[in-house]
Amino acid sequence: MTTTQAPAAGANLALWNTLQRLPFGNWLFTQALCLKAPYFRSVHPLILELRPGLCRVSAPNRRSVHNHLGSYHAIASCNMAELAGGMMTDATIPATHRWIPVGMTVEYKSKSTTAVTSVARLDPIPEFGDDPTELVVPVDVLDADGNAFVTARITMHVSKKR
């Protein structure tokens, strides 16, 4: 992989860009995503920013995402990381390619008792060719003070569509 700007991504990014012109466009896009992948709804996400190389997603601090200690549940944090990492990957790869997560490593650094934001960022954006590749996507899950209480590295298998 080399470090050049990837061509425009597919339909999800185009839909995101279209909905940004509407009131509540972020909310509409997030609801559509949660219809397609219902498990994400469990953390009550809102996609805040989406572009090639970056996705930011927020989620409120609700009892439904708490563990027995009253803090943000570890698996809810993983859900937030996968959502941000997957949407960023989808917005980054060319429309001629597809992706699927094949692994995730997670480090739980501290607890959070606040709303959270997950941030997936790739810099620089790699070039995607004809050969399949493993793309490692770093994701931070931040508390309300901006401290990363969870970090993840999600391995995405990226290949050309058939």
Side-chain angles (χ1 to χ4, degrees), residues 38 48 56 59 61 64 81 91 109 119 125-126 132 135 156 162:
L48 302 172
R56 281 188 325 115
N61 180 28
S64 63
K109 298 176 171 215
V119 181
I125 296 173
L135 176 67
M156 305 290 191
R162 292 183 184 170

Side-chain angles (χ1 to χ4, degrees), residues 125-150:
I125 296 173
E127 182 177 307
F128 300 94
D130 291 339
D131 294 330
T133 187
E134 303 292 306
L135 176 67
V136 178
V137 176
V139 184
D140 290 326
V141 185
L142 312 170
D143 64 18
D145 293 328
N147 300 313
F149 71 98
V150 170

Side-chain angles (χ1 to χ4, degrees), residues 11-82:
N12 286 330
L13 185 58
L15 178 60
W16 167 266
N17 289 332
T18 298
L19 290 175
Q20 292 310 289
R21 296 182 219 129
L22 301 175
F24 306 106
N26 295 25
W27 182 84
L28 289 169
F29 183 86
T30 304
Q31 293 306 304
L33 171 66
C34 288
L35 283 173
K36 188 172 184 180
Y39 185 68
F40 288 132
R41 187 176 305 283
S42 68
V43 294
H44 310 280
L46 178 63
I47 298 175
L48 302 172
E49 190 173 2
L50 180 62
R51 65 176 188 259
L54 178 70
C55 181
R56 281 188 325 115
V57 182
S58 69
N61 180 28
R62 293 189 173 193
R63 186 176 180 279
S64 63
V65 294
H66 286 181
N67 59 23
H68 64 289
L69 302 173
S71 59
Y72 209 84
H73 196 282
I75 299 306
S77 301
C78 291
N79 198 359
M80 287 291 291
E82 186 177 352

Side-chain angles (χ1 to χ4, degrees), residues 93-110:
I93 66 171
T96 56
H97 286 64
R98 60 187 177 172
W99 61 273
I100 188 163
V102 294
M104 181 188 310
T105 59
V106 182
E107 184 178 344
Y108 307 104
K109 298 176 171 215
S110 62

